[in-house]
Each structure stands twice: as C-alpha cells, then as structure tokens.
Amino acid sequence: MWMSKTWLVQAFFIFITTESIGKLLDPCGHISPESPVIQLGSNFTAVCVLKEKCMDNFHVNANYIVWKINHFTVPKEQYAILNRTASSVTFTNITALSVQLTCNILTFGQIEQNVYGITVISGLPPEKPKNLNCIVYEGKKMMCQWDPGRETYLETNFTLKSEWATEKFADCQTKRATPTTCIVDYSPVYFVNIEVWVEAENALGKVSSNHINFDPVDKVKPSPPRNLSVSNSEELSSILKLSWINPNIKSVIRLKYNIQYRIKDDSTWNQIPPEDTSTTRSSFTVQDLQPFTEYVFRMRCMKEDGKGFWSDWSEEASGITYEDRPSKAPSFWYKIDPSHTNGYRSVQLIWKTLSPFETNGRILDYEVTLTRWKSRLQNYTVNDTKLTVNLTNDRYIATLTARNLVGKSDPSVLTIPACDFQATRPVMDLKAFPKDNKLWVEWTAPNESVRKYILEWCVLSDKLPCILDWQQEDGTTHRTYLRGNLVESKCYLITVTPVYADGPGRPESIKAYLKQAPPSQGPMVRTKKVGKNEAVLEWDQLPVDVQNGFIRNYTIFYKTIIGNETAVNVDSSHTEYTLSSLTSDTLYMVRMVAYTDEGGKDGPEFTFTTPKFAQGEIEAIVVPVCLAILFTTLLGVLFCFNKRDLIKKHIWPNVPDPSKSHIAQWSPPTPPRHNFNSKDQMYSDSNFTDVSVVEIEPNDKKPLPDDLKSLDLFRKEKSGTEGHSSGIGGSSCMSSSRPSISSGDENESAQNTSSTVQYSTVVHSGYRHQVPSVQVFSRSESTQPLLDSEERPEDLQLIDNVDSGDNILPRQQYFKQNCSQQETSPDISQFERISGSFCSGCFWSRC
Amino acid sequence: MMKILAAGVVPLLLVLHWKPGAGSPLPINPVNATCNTHHPCPSNLMSQIRSQLAQLNGTANALFILYYTAQGEPFPNNLDKLCGPNVTDFPPFHANGTEKVRLVELYRIVAYLGTALGNITRDQKTLNPTAHSLHSKLNATADTLRGLLSNVLCRLCSKYHVAHVDVAYGPDTSGKDVFQKKKLGCQLLGKYKQVMAVLAQAF
C-alpha cells in the first residue's frame, strides 16, 4: 500500500515537471524562414516574430530584439522594425557557407534572452552538366558519365534520364561516391535510338544537360577477341596464320580489327595495315616475317564503321616462323701468330655467329675451306667460331659457310696474303666519335674497290692487355658504330682495315671514348728546380686508366699562404712548366688540375719554398771581395817589398850590432880619399855615401858567354835576394837607392844580401836624422874575437872553397872602392858579373 | 528493370491491346489520329529495323535449340512432333505488301511474339529455374523484340501517322500443364525461327 502511494507521488511529480519543462521550452517567438538556403552573394532577410504572451511576461516588444550571427551582434542599421512584434534583419552579399542566426531580446536589466535560432546555408545552384557521354560494354549495362560543372557547396543530385521515342525508362540515380557516372538498370537494346540527359538538382535549382540521342550499338565497346592462336607454315618461312574467336557481339554488328605483332625480344609493336583487317573475320595470315623468328601477336576489335570504342587488347599469342637457309655469310677474319716455325705460320681463322635474323634457323655447323694456289682444297667442319691452322708462307684463299637444317649460307671469302705481302692502301680520314650513346667510326674509302672492312678495337689500359674485339662491315660502308659492349670512360683503340681482293690493306688506328669523364686522379706536380724568383715544375702524364678522357690541358694553381691563387693553363703535351716572377724566400703551394672534355680533377697539393739568394749569388759577392782583398794585399806587399828600404828606414834604424861586428880588414889606404882630417876632401865626393859588400857566387859548371853570364848572374842574384829581408850589410846597401838588380834595360847597382857573408857598413848619416860630424870608418868595438881568417885573408879563400863543396867553385870576394868603374877580375869566368853601386869604401866581414 | 519491363510491362501493354477474336485482322487507327513520340525518330530507322530483324533471325535458331535442349526429352528427339511451327492465330505477314502494310503486320507479329516470349520466359523460370543461359537468351530476345516494336511504331507514327495498331495475342499458358507449357513454348519458338527468316528477308 505504501509502495503504491510512493509510486503515484513520483508519477505525479514527473507529470508536473514534464509540463513545466514543456512550457519553458516553448519559444518566445520564431524566425522566418525556418531553414533558409540561399545563393552565395545574394541578399537575405530574416524576420523574428515575438509571441504576445512572451512580450507581456518580459515587457518587451520588437524594439527589444537583438540579432546575432555566429554569436556576434548584428549592427542596428541592418534591423527593421516591421511592427510591434516583428523585427527583420537583412544581410547583403552572403559569402559564408553556413551561419548561425539568432533572435534575442533584452529583458529587464539588459539581460539578453535567446528567442530563436536558425542555420543559414549558402551555396550555388547546379551548373548545366556537360560532356555527357555513354558507353556500352559488351554484355554489360550502359554507363553514362558527364562533367558536373562548378562546385555548388550544397547536396546536389544528378539523375540520368533516358527514353525511347515511344517510352521512357526508369531514372538512374547517381551514387554519392560517383556523382558523375551512372549505370542504367536495363540491358541496352541495339538498333533503337535512345535519348539520354542528366538533371542536376539542389536546394537552389534544377538544370538539365543537353540531350544526346544515339543508338546504343554505336556506343559499344566490344569484348576483345579470344582464343588467339598462331600457326606457321612449312612451305613458307615468312608467314604466320592467326586465328581467334570473335566476341559475341559479332552476331549483332560487323567488326574491324587491329592486329599488332613484334619479335619476342623486341618491345616495339608493328601493326598490320588497318585496311587489311577492316572486315569481320576470324583468321588472318601475316606475311613478310623473318624465318625462324618468334613473333608475339595481339589484336582488338570495334564496330566496323568506327562508331563506338575499341575493345581491350586480346591476350598475346606467339608463334615461330619456319626455318630458312642462312640469309647472310658470316663475318670472317683471321689472326696470324707472328712466330714462324719451319716455314709454317699459325693462322687463326675467326668468325662471328650470325644474328637470329640472319641464321634463319639453328646453325648446325660451319664449313671452312682453304685453298693454296694450285693445290687441293682443305675442308674443315667446325662447330666453334674459330679454327687454327698451320699454313705455309704462301697466299691462301679461305671460305666459310654456315649451315642449318634447310641449307647453307653464301660463302665468306677471305684472302690470307703471303708472308712477304706488304699491306698498303689504308683508309683515309679515320675519325671516331660518340653519338647517341654509341661510338661511331667514320672513314673515307680508298680509291680502290674494297671488299669489306674489318674494325677491331680494344680497351687501352696500363694494367690489362689489349683484348681485341672486331666486326665486319660491307665494302660500301664508310660509317658505322662499334657493336660491342662498350663502357664509358675507357680509351678505345680502334683499328680499321680495308680488305681487298688480294688481301688486307694497311690498318689505320685511332683512339676514342664512348663518353669522357673527368680524370679519376689529378697529376702529381713536383719541383724540378727552384730558384730565387722562379721554379720549374714537372709532372708525369696521367696513366690512361685514370684519364677517363683526352687530357686537353692542365691548369696549375699556385699561391702563397697569404696571397691569391694564380692559375696558369698549360698545354697537355707539356710535362714541365716554369713559374716565374716568384717571390724569394716564400712558401708556395701548388696543385695541378688535368682537364678532359667533361671536367677536371686536381692532384695533391705540393709546397716548395723559394731560396733567399739565387744560386751563385753568394759566390758572386764573396769571390770578388776576396779577390779584391787579396789583390789589395798583394799590391800592398809588393809596394812594401819595393819600398822596403824606405819603410825599413822609417821603421827602424840601421843599427849595427856592435857585439857581432868586427873589423876584418881595413880597406886599402887611399890617402886622398881617407883623409879623415881633411874635411873638404871628405865631403867632396858626395857619391861616396855607402859601402857595399857584394858577394859574388861562382857560376855553375858551364861557363857562360860574357853577356849571358852577366844576365844570368843578375837573374840569379834577383831570385836569390827575394825572400831575404835582413842582414846588416844588405840593408845598408839597399838604403842607398832603388833596387840594385839591373836588367837589360836598366842597369842599376844590385845589392847583394847573400847570407854567406854579412858586411857591416859605416854610414855617414847619423841616427834619426842626426848628422854626424864626419863620415868615418869606425872599427867595431865588438868584443867578438877575430877569426884567424880575418887576420889572414889569404886563408879565407881556402876556407870558402872548402865550404862551398865540390860543386861550388871557390868564391872570391874583393873590395871595390869606386863602384862606378867596372872592373873584371882575372878569374871573371868563374864569377858572376856584378854591377856595383857607388861605394866610397867597403870592407867585408864575416858574421 | 529492362527485364522486368520485357517480362511484365510489355506483355501488360500488349495485353491492353488484346481483344477477343485473335487471328482476325484488326483495323488500324485513322490516319489523322494523334501520333506523339517523345523525340523524333532517327533517319536510319528502317536500317535499324532491318538490323534488328537480322539480329533476331541470327539468334532464333540458337534460341530454339537452347530451348528444346533445356526441356530435355522427349523434345530434342521429337522436334517435328513437339516443336513444329503449328501455332494457330499467328498474325499473317505479306511480304509483297506495301511498306506500311508490312510494318503494320510486322508490328502485330512482334507484339504477338513479345507476349509469347514473355509467357515462355515466365514459364521457364518456373520449369527450368537453373537454365540461366536460356533465361538470358529469352530476355535478350524479348528486349530486342521490344526495341523492334518501338522502332516499327516510331516508323508508323512518324511516316504513316499510325498511332495505334490493334494486335492479337497467343494462347495463355498459365492454366496449362508443364508439358503443354513446354510444348507450346517450343512450337512458338519454332514458329519464331521460321517467321524471323521470312521477316529478315522481307525488309
């Protein structure tokens, strides 16, 4: 009971609540239009109408309405009060695709209460669909497609409509995913025209496309022919017969075909002339094909009058034509082993396999015949493509044929010349150049008829041997490309040999690249010689393996540490270059770039330093200076030597050593001249200034003539005096005047300073310009005891003779009072002639 | 939809034209009667009619073979007895008549065959529900007959201003037994094959 009461209370409460909410949700007004869809760029006006009840409750009217768009208040200028309950708002040139428009009222206290809201959607009406077209896939239903035109921003429905002249078909509604195509529900009926059009419709409008009227049979895309098969004919090696099954539509329409074929490994399709396949058929024979070649075929079809669409291509089918005899003689060439043995030479005959287009079948073997003049044939059957035979040094004719199941090829004939054959008549103007990724060779044919040309080539390498490849060209050819697996950046040595009826001509060679590239390595530059202002750089030619092209030139870059880099271009034929105008005592960095036609590659950087002085510069300075010093010294020495008396006189006095002097002998008294007491007499003879003692040495073994003796004597005296610089007696004699050695032109008294005997001189001049009162001969006060010989002059000569030895003649000294008068002793033949100086009185002594 | 039209609507339309006394020639409407088409008839209309007749003639024998094969014995081995073209009330055709007369007679024949094919198709879907190839061929033939009827009407309307032709229809098989249905179908298709050969030659 209690539970039932509770339930009733709850139900009542829910009822009351629901009623209350329903009233609360009742809007105070509404906006008209309710769900507007407007065209972009157009004007739009909305009206908000308030309910009387609401106006009374809130004490408001239309003046209190506030419009908001996307929560932003619309300016009052766009409002219009229509009456007490209605207010409108107008928007011009709507550009937003979707906006939220709300009608609000301002209640007491400026509180804004939302009355109603709508969503304004903008878009464009549909454009007229264009390019409507239909296609009928054989066995399927018709499909039409069209261009829908501009974007409408609205949900737009496209409807494909179709009808016969007498009845309509059901509409074809597009699917959302494919709004521009539609597949009709009914099967197409051929030979009845149907009219088709498209209607596009959205909230802003409806528009139809142009109507198209057609017979569906003219829009057919047939299924491709099926079961295509190919068969060959043993009678004709150049034909293949195609057979196929036409599509079912063939029972309705006539067909035409496209038949294409290609060689199996080829990618290019050839087409049978369309006029040959313009009628309905189920087989076709393709002619002019290569024997023993596999061909691939495909075909398609369409309505014979060309209306409609081509079918897809059929599945491919292939067939092989029957064999025929080889159509071409094989390329044929030979190599001769240069080593001869016993009058034979080893010749390797080589030939190329024929291309599949030329073999016309499977090659079974090759037949080679060799014929020497006036000798029988030698036949060989070879399965390989080379044959080595030993031939004499004579001329041979070799022939080669290739054989297949059907027959033999034409023979290739080759003349192997005799051993002493001199090849001449080469091709001229041989050129090689790359073009279209092929290496082309071009030449000018010799004047004489050429049977064929042999082109040989190999890769030049520093490491690998030259492995020759070759090919043969007809005698009328003067331009071809090398049909080998050539690679880029390799230097090919190409040789062209014309082959005449009597043998090969002289081969001509040329180098070429299929495609050049920059060198792999740059040249390594080094200095050959470095000078103060120049440096000679040298480098090696790049190995051919790294050249990757023809080295066109070098560029030498050099710089100092702080300077700008200088570039010098050098011809590729050079291997050294002299850098000039360099700065002395400077570090230079140099590198070198080698260029091909495709670019350059620089080598490692090399540094060198220029010297401070050029080579020989130091020597050029030091040697002249030394020489100058030496010369000056010599001059000084000579001068001093020549003026030694004068110098000696100024440097030290000629002071006799009394302790070592003695008077050996007094001069013979000459009273008038040695009158010491007579002053006049003493000074009258002014020439008597000195006393000289001359040593006369005996001559050698042979006596000389008088004149020559005297000359010789003087020379000896001169040489003997050189190097002697002291001696009391000598010194005193020299002091008198110039050197006393006389020559032929100059007779002067010589001063003999022989070391054998020294003489003391009593001078009349005083010491250091102290003039003595009288010139006297003074006896030495020396305590040196006198020798016995001094006491006995007659014994002296004997002693001298003993001292001089066996080879020395006895020396005889004599004293001469007046040197101006030349006297000759009785034994003059044994003594050298002397020329004495003025002597007033002399004595000799022995130290 | 087309099939539906072929199997249902066309017979319905034709039935609307049916009147008791089938087999007797019915008058065509007066020349001045209103003749409206949705769009103009193509200029090659007669060519299309010939193509349609050739198409039907080309497939008639295959359809006939397919039909009696699908029915099973005893039909294949008793064609003369069971499938002879002994169809009563079949509209006549006079190949030596004027084009208008030939077109009118063609219209009646096509209308007759269309209705009969509709009935056969309906019966075969019941009797041989797995004979899809036969169903497909029957539908395709019915579609073609429908197209031919449209063309002939368009020609009659556009050139001879004939907007209406009274037609007669064959016997209704709905109340007959299975064998009779099959037999009637086979006889009709035999007739169809025979008459199509004549019509294809007549135009």
Side-chain angles (χ1 to χ4, degrees), chain B residues 123-147:
Chain B
D123 292 341
Q124 286 300 309
K125 285 185 177 176
T126 306
L127 301 175
N128 293 298
T130 58
H132 299 298
S133 178
L134 176 61
H135 301 162
S136 174
K137 219 132 183 90
L138 286 169
N139 282 327
T141 303
D143 287 346
T144 305
L145 284 171
R146 184 169 162 244

Side-chain angles (χ1 to χ4, degrees), chain A residues 576-646:
Chain A
E576 68 175 45
Y577 183 80
T578 302
L579 299 178
S580 55
S581 303
L582 302 180
T583 307
S584 62
D585 193 23
T586 304
L587 177 67
Y588 279 91
M589 287 167 283
V590 60
R591 62 188 172 88
M592 193 165 180
V593 182
Y595 289 95
T596 65
D597 291 339
E598 296 298 321
K601 175 71 176 177
D602 52 352
E605 196 168 69
F606 179 80
T607 59
F608 66 88
T609 304
T610 52
K612 198 169 186 178
F613 299 101
Q615 188 176 12
E617 195 175 46
I618 296 174
E619 290 82 350
I621 295 170
V622 172
V623 170
V625 169
C626 291
L627 288 173
I629 294 170
L630 183 61
F631 186 70
T632 305
T633 305
L634 282 175
L635 283 179
V637 169
L638 283 175
F639 179 79
C640 292
F641 185 77
N642 287 336
K643 300 298 181 183
R644 64 183 180 276
D645 294 338
L646 186 62

Side-chain angles (χ1 to χ4, degrees), chain A residues 165-167 186 191-193, chain B residues 2 38 48 52 146 150-151:
Chain A
T166 58
E167 61 180 283
Y186 51 87
F191 308 116
V192 184
N193 273 38
Chain B
M2 195 71 173
H38 297 299
Q48 287 181 323
Q52 287 171 313
R146 184 169 162 244
S150 175
N151 276 347

